[in-house]
Each structure stands twice: as C-alpha cells, then as structure tokens.
Amino acid sequence: MSPLEVGIAMFAAIALLLLARVPVGVAMLLAGGAGYAAISGLWPLLNTLKTLPFSRFSSYTLSVIPLFLLMGEFATKGGMNAALFRAARAWFGHWRGGLAVATIGGCAAFGAICGSSLATAATMSQVAGPEMRRAGYSPALATGTLAAGGTLGILIPPSVILVIYAIYTEQSIGNLFIAAVIPGLLATAGYMLVVNLYARLAPDAAPPSPRLPLATRFAESREVWPAASVFLLVVLGIYAGWFSPTEGAAVGAAAVGLLAVLVGGMRGRQFVESLLATAETTALMFLILLGAELFSAALALSRLPAFVSSWVVSLGLAPVTVLAIMLVLYLVLGCAMESLAMVLLTLPVFVPVMLALDFGLSHAQVLVWFGILVLVAVEVGMISPPFGLNLFVINALSKDVPITETWRGVLGFCASDVVRLVLLVAFPGLSLWLPGLS
Amino acid sequence: MGGPEAAGVGLLDRAARALAIAGGVLLVAAMAVTVASVGRAAFGRAILGDTELVELLVGVAIAWFMPWCQARRAHVRLEVFTARAPEPVRRALDRAAGLMVALVVALLAWRLIQGGLDAHERGRQTMFLELPLWWGYAAAAIGMVLWTMIALAQSVARLDPAPSTPRP
C-alpha cells in the first residue's frame, strides 16, 4: 500500500471500529498505530509509544484542561448553579417565557466558569428544571431550553474544545477566548429570542412570573459578583498575558474552590465528588487526545492531508463553498459523534485546506475565525435531533418527558444556531474584531 | 457498577476509586504550586522549575485517573447505530471491543514501563529541578497497570446489561 492509501484506510478503519462500539480513543490508537507501523515500521511505533503517553499526560500546556475541569466541578458542587439561576430569574423572570429566559441567562453565566457543554446542561437542569415544571412550563420548552442553554458552556469562554483547538493550531488561547465572546453573546441573545417567540406562539407553554422590585433583584444577584470577578480575572488575565492559560486556570480553580468552601458550603464529601468527576472527564478526554496524537502523526506520515488540500484547491471552488461543505459535514457528523473526537479527527485534514484557500485573511485570522466556526458547528450537533448528546442527557434527567417532546422543544434553538453560523461565516469581523485581528 | 459481578472486580473498582482520589489530590497540589508561582512572580521573585513540578504532578494524576474512567465504563463510544441491534450482536461486539481495549491498554502499559526503564538507565532529569524523570514514569505505571487489570477483568467478566450513560 502506498502511504496515501494507508491514510485512507485509517479513516475506513476508524469508521468500522466506531461502529463496532470500540471507545473513540482506543479506535484512534488502533487505526493510528496500524497506520504508523504500516508506513514507518513496527519498531519505530513501539519506540514512540515508550514516551508518547506520559509526555502527553505531563504537558504543561495541556495541564490547562484538568484545571479548567476542576474549576467547573468546584462551581457545580459549590452550588453556583443555584445562585446564578436565582439572579437570572430575578432579572428576567417577568419577561415573556421568563423562567426559560432566566435558564438561558443562568447557563450563559455558568458557562463563563465552566468549559463543558454537558456539565452546564446537567448542572443547570438540577435547579432550573424543577422550577420550570412547577411553574407549569411545557416539558418540550423546558427540556429544549436546558439542552440548548448547555451549549453556552462550550461557546462562552473558558471552553475546553477551544483550548484544544488553540493548542492544536498553535494559536493563542487568549485570542480564541476573546474571539468567542461576541459569538457567545449572540448565541445567548438568539436563544432568548427563541424563547420569546415560543412563548408568543404558545402562551400556555410558558406562564409569566411576577415582576420583582429593583431592590430584590439586586439582593438576589449578590452571589453573582464573586463568580463574575473570577471569570473576568481568568479570561482577561489570559488574554492580556498577566499569566499563562495554565496559570489562569489554576488561579480560577483555586478561586472557585475557595468560593465553594466559603459561600457554597463545600465539605469533604463534595470535594471528593468533584475530584472524582474531574478524574473521569479528564481521563476520557486524555484518552481521546492520546489517540488523536498518534492518529494525526500517522496521518501526517501518509501525506493524505497535503494531498487533500491541494486537490481541493485544484477544484477551483469558491473558498466559501468549501468552508460551507466542511461546516455541513460537522453538522451531520455532530448528530452522532462526540465533539472532541470529531474535531480532532477532522482538523488534520481541514486546517491545511483552510490555510490553502484564499479568504483574503491572514493565517492567524483564518485559524481564529475557523476555530469559532468549528466550535459553533460542533455545538449545533450536540442539540440536533435525533442523536444530539445534550438532548439525551437532559431527557435522562427529566424522567417523565418523552424524547420526542425534547426534540420538538429544541428545534427553534437549532434554527437560531444555523442563522448564527451563517452570520459568523458572512461576517468574520464578529469573531476577529474583539481580539483586534480584523 | 457493582451488581452481581465477581468480587475481584469490586476490589479493582475500589482501588481505581482510591487511585483517582489520590490523583485528584496531586492535581490540587499542581494547582497550588501554580498559584504560588503566580503569586511570587507578581512580587518579582519567580521560581525556576515550577512548570516541571506541575508537569510531573499532572502527568501522574492523569495516569491515575485512567483506571477510574475505565471502571466506570465512561470512555466515549458511538452507540447510536447499534442501539437497536439484537442483544446477542451487541454483546458479541462489546466482548470484542472489550478485548481490543484490554490489548491496547496492555500495550501502552508495557511501553510506558519500558520508557521508564530507559529514563532510569540514561539518568534522564528535568532541566531546572533535576528531578529524575523515572519517578514520574514509575508512579504513572501504577495507573497503567491497574487500568490494564480493569480492562482485562471487564473483557472477561459477565457483561453488564445496563447501558453506560454518555458524558462530555
């Protein structure tokens, strides 16, 4: 087999292994390892494996991931979800569809201290779910809102997917975080608009709550300030270069941990629970990262990425058409696949293609812009029926709601996601202006 | 988790939980070292080599997290296409997949131990603190060996009919 054929066979092998229910990271290790051995030989592979796992695990740059995950777990176990939801409810509760709007607001705020979509969805559903059901909200709207709101966890920085994208493409994590701010706010506003329209069309689905006096609203928001300061300190600090991303994540985790102990009443049991939850998520991410490392190394040896990018350029399609095809592919794949694995499997091919196309932007601009687009496209996949992961998590947490109701409730949010994606493609400035790249 | 599985699996699961908590403590230690070094740098007294300590701590922590994730069967799989497949087909696939996981993990553990022996033999050290690198490898090997044992136990154990819940 020629190296190029090996590269193609690796993708075929991954597809087969995934269908055979092999864990994603192991499938990547198997296909990547086989490809590596086929091109370079068995001994070079065995030699690489001597140092590859431990050097991946003990990378200062990648340490940012477990630290951000720890920060998110401290925020969850420290009851910050409840405080943030209460504050959002005080401000938005009397709006049309107020509790659902407050859920979106609470998710956005929680997303600012948590970098994972499922964790945000699951955490917020504990506080907002029962509240919406008690107030007589329709199960479709309640579960759809929670599933969509959860995606704000990865859209709004800090975001684990964005960190990994930044490391992979050698872009500044701070730049990508800042670039995600406007798209994240757009997402929040878009979701709130969807709730508003939903409540207009079906007033019974979202009964209004009473308006609160201003003094009560401020009183209810008291507990938000610590979380907000931590977010500003971490994200601005990383962007401004006060500290490295790893240092920022450590400072953030320590601050949120301290808040959880002092304000949220975190004690020994919750502390151990947050360690175990961090352990589980960190381990599953690093198995995928390890697999992706070997897979992309073998792929680079096969020269398939270079071949594909020169082939795409030779087609002479408009760059935007190629970009649109890649994003649609993400939307389709995202319906069935775990987001991190999907991103890591596709980047080795897609990034060279993006850099080879002429968008009239510099390399740094293209990479930051594409990172935001990938992030949004991936996040749509998490809530698109029928297979979106968030839908299943929220549905599993709301026992008596049939999954079809959740599918129905989330459609409007999916539509707003697609509109936003088109906007972000049409106006790169939305992503590039804030980090000063436009 | 638990259920009617062999007592040996229960013991392995408890060991994995303990090791994951220990790894969590290492992660918190890495966090503290980093925060301290930020604090010192703010006063113009940066310490050399703090990143090396963080790397070692986090590297060992992650290796110690792996058995727990395996014990919880939390590693991400694609289940949607086979969710409706007949029970015997799914069981056969899971059995084969379990064996593949065990083999891959065993290979990784073997190579990591070999890598640690190499590091010991050549006296490889970190740059500033001159910490012997094989310490990290040796500690990480504990996690890799337990991970292998759990993967092997799972691949031969009676299959748990309860589907695992997806995680991020």
Side-chain angles (χ1 to χ4, degrees):
Chain A
M1 273 205 285
S2 75
L4 216 53
E5 287 163 351
V6 172
I8 295 165
M10 279 167 53
F11 274 105
I14 282 267
L16 281 179
L17 289 169
L18 289 182
L19 281 179
R21 300 164 73 92
V22 175
V24 181
V26 173
M28 286 164 142
L29 279 169
L30 279 168
Y36 199 101
I39 297 171
S40 301
L42 187 59
W43 279 109
L45 171 70
L46 289 178
N47 264 325
T48 305
L49 287 180
K50 275 200 271 194
T51 49
L52 185 74
F54 193 65
S55 68
R56 274 297 89 178
F57 295 170
S58 63
S59 139
Y60 187 72
T61 322
L62 289 177
S63 304
V64 67
I65 295 167
L67 289 170
F68 269 138
L69 292 172
L70 187 66
M71 171 164 141
E73 288 302 332
F74 282 161
T76 307
K77 299 295 187 291
M80 273 189 198
N81 48 354
L84 293 173
F85 177 68
R86 268 203 308 277
R89 189 184 55 188
W91 289 95
F92 303 124
H94 59 284
W95 288 17
R96 212 183 282 274
L99 285 184
V101 173
T103 304
I104 299 293
C107 284
F110 195 77
I113 40 175
C114 174
S116 133
S117 170
L118 286 181
T120 305
T123 309
M124 291 308 294
S125 84
Q126 287 167 8
V127 286
E131 189 96 3
M132 281 194 278
R133 301 298 297 280
R134 249 200 313 278
Y137 275 55
S138 82
L141 178 61
T143 52
T145 303
L146 280 164
T151 63
L152 296 173
I154 53 168
L155 268 185
I156 293 181
S159 156
V160 173
I161 297 265
L162 216 47
V163 165
I164 290 169
Y165 176 90
I167 294 171
Y168 186 87
T169 57
E170 298 178 344
Q171 292 302 300
S172 131
I173 293 178
N175 269 351
L176 274 153
F177 277 4
I178 295 294
V181 168
I182 291 181
L185 292 176
L186 272 180
T188 312
Y191 287 170
M192 288 182 171
L193 193 67
V194 169
V195 171
N196 184 288
L197 291 176
Y198 199 111
R200 269 175 208 277
L201 294 174
D204 296 344
S209 309
R211 172 190 285 269
L212 296 176
L214 218 52
T216 320
R217 293 189 202 177
F218 277 109
E220 290 279 290
S221 320
R222 249 192 339 242
E223 287 174 58
V224 171
W225 301 119
S229 345
V230 171
F231 164 73
L232 285 178
L233 176 71
V234 170
V235 171
L236 283 182
I238 292 174
Y239 175 66
W242 299 336
F243 30 65
S244 71
T246 303
E247 287 168 346
V251 169
V256 172
L258 213 60
L259 283 176
V261 172
L262 298 179
V263 185
M266 180 169 79
R267 293 295 172 264
R269 194 171 58 84
Q270 292 94 329
F271 179 70
V272 168
E273 275 170 11
S274 50
L275 292 188
L276 285 173
T278 307
E280 189 174 320
T281 317
T282 303
L284 76 83
M285 288 197 161
F286 271 80
L287 180 58
I288 294 174
L289 280 170
L290 184 59
E293 178 85 5
L294 192 60
F295 187 80
S296 62
L299 211 53
L301 287 175
S302 81
R303 302 195 44 75
L304 183 67
F307 175 80
V308 170
S309 66
S310 59
W311 174 72
V312 169
V313 170
S314 75
L315 289 178
L317 294 169
V320 173
T321 312
V322 180
L323 176 59
I325 293 171
M326 290 194 278
L327 292 178
V328 168
L329 199 64
Y330 275 127
L331 294 183
V332 174
L333 278 177
C335 294
M337 244 185 113
E338 197 272 334
S339 47
L340 177 59
M342 176 170 80
V343 168
L344 287 171
L345 274 174
T346 50
L347 284 186
V349 178
F350 284 7
V351 165
V353 170
M354 279 303 285
L355 291 178
L357 294 169
D358 181 18
F359 288 94
L361 300 168
S362 74
H363 275 193
Q365 286 173 322
V366 168
L367 288 176
V368 169
W369 180 47
F370 188 56
I372 301 299
L373 296 178
V374 169
L375 184 71
V376 174
V378 157
E379 164 263 312
V380 183
M382 305 211 54
I383 57 167
S384 35
F387 297 134
L389 260 187
N390 273 19
L391 304 175
F392 284 100
V393 170
I394 292 300
N395 197 257
L397 292 172
S398 351
K399 292 276 182 295
D400 51 337
V401 181
I403 186 84
T404 44
E405 283 286 294
T406 310
W407 288 346
R408 213 159 51 78
V410 86
L411 282 178
F413 298 103
C414 291
S416 106
D417 277 346
V418 173
V419 170
R420 176 159 32 89
L421 191 56
V422 171
L423 281 178
L424 291 172
V425 170
F427 305 105
L430 289 172
S431 316
L432 299 177
W433 175 69
L434 210 50
L437 284 170
S438 66
Chain B
M1 287 287 296
E5 291 184 343
V9 176
L11 187 69
L12 286 176
D13 283 358
R14 277 207 298 281
R17 187 172 187 275
L19 200 62
I21 295 173
V25 172
L26 294 186
L27 180 62
V28 171
M31 176 193 88
V33 169
T34 312
V35 172
S37 90
V38 172
R40 294 182 65 125
F43 294 102
R45 290 190 304 171
I47 29 175
L48 282 179
D50 58 323
T51 60
E52 292 171 357
L53 198 55
V54 170
E55 284 182 341
L56 274 183
L57 287 169
V58 172
V60 173
I62 293 173
W64 286 4
F65 291 162
M66 289 295 174
W68 173 241
C69 194
Q70 187 68 43
R72 301 258 302 158
R73 298 174 196 269
H75 285 298
V76 184
R77 298 187 301 172
L78 195 62
E79 290 172 63
V80 287
F81 294 111
T82 37
R84 297 271 170 80
E87 181 76 19
V89 173
R90 250 186 357 218
R91 276 176 179 275
L93 286 177
D94 281 347
R95 175 78 65 197
L99 275 174
M100 275 189 246
V101 172
L103 283 177
V104 167
V105 174
L107 176 72
L108 290 182
W110 169 48
R111 294 322 293 165
L112 182 124
I113 290 168
Q114 200 63 49
L117 292 175
D118 280 8
H120 179 59
E121 214 167 281
R122 295 182 195 159
R124 285 176 61 199
Q125 293 177 327
T126 65
M127 206 178 323
F128 291 111
L129 299 179
E130 301 188 341
L131 300 169
L133 212 53
W134 72 268
W135 290 2
Y137 274 88
I142 300 172
M144 302 300 284
V145 169
L146 185 59
W147 186 13
T148 309
M149 286 163 70
I150 290 175
L152 278 173
Q154 284 178 352
S155 71
V156 295
R158 230 160 55 79
L159 285 176
D160 191 353
S164 56
T165 45
R167 295 268 321 200

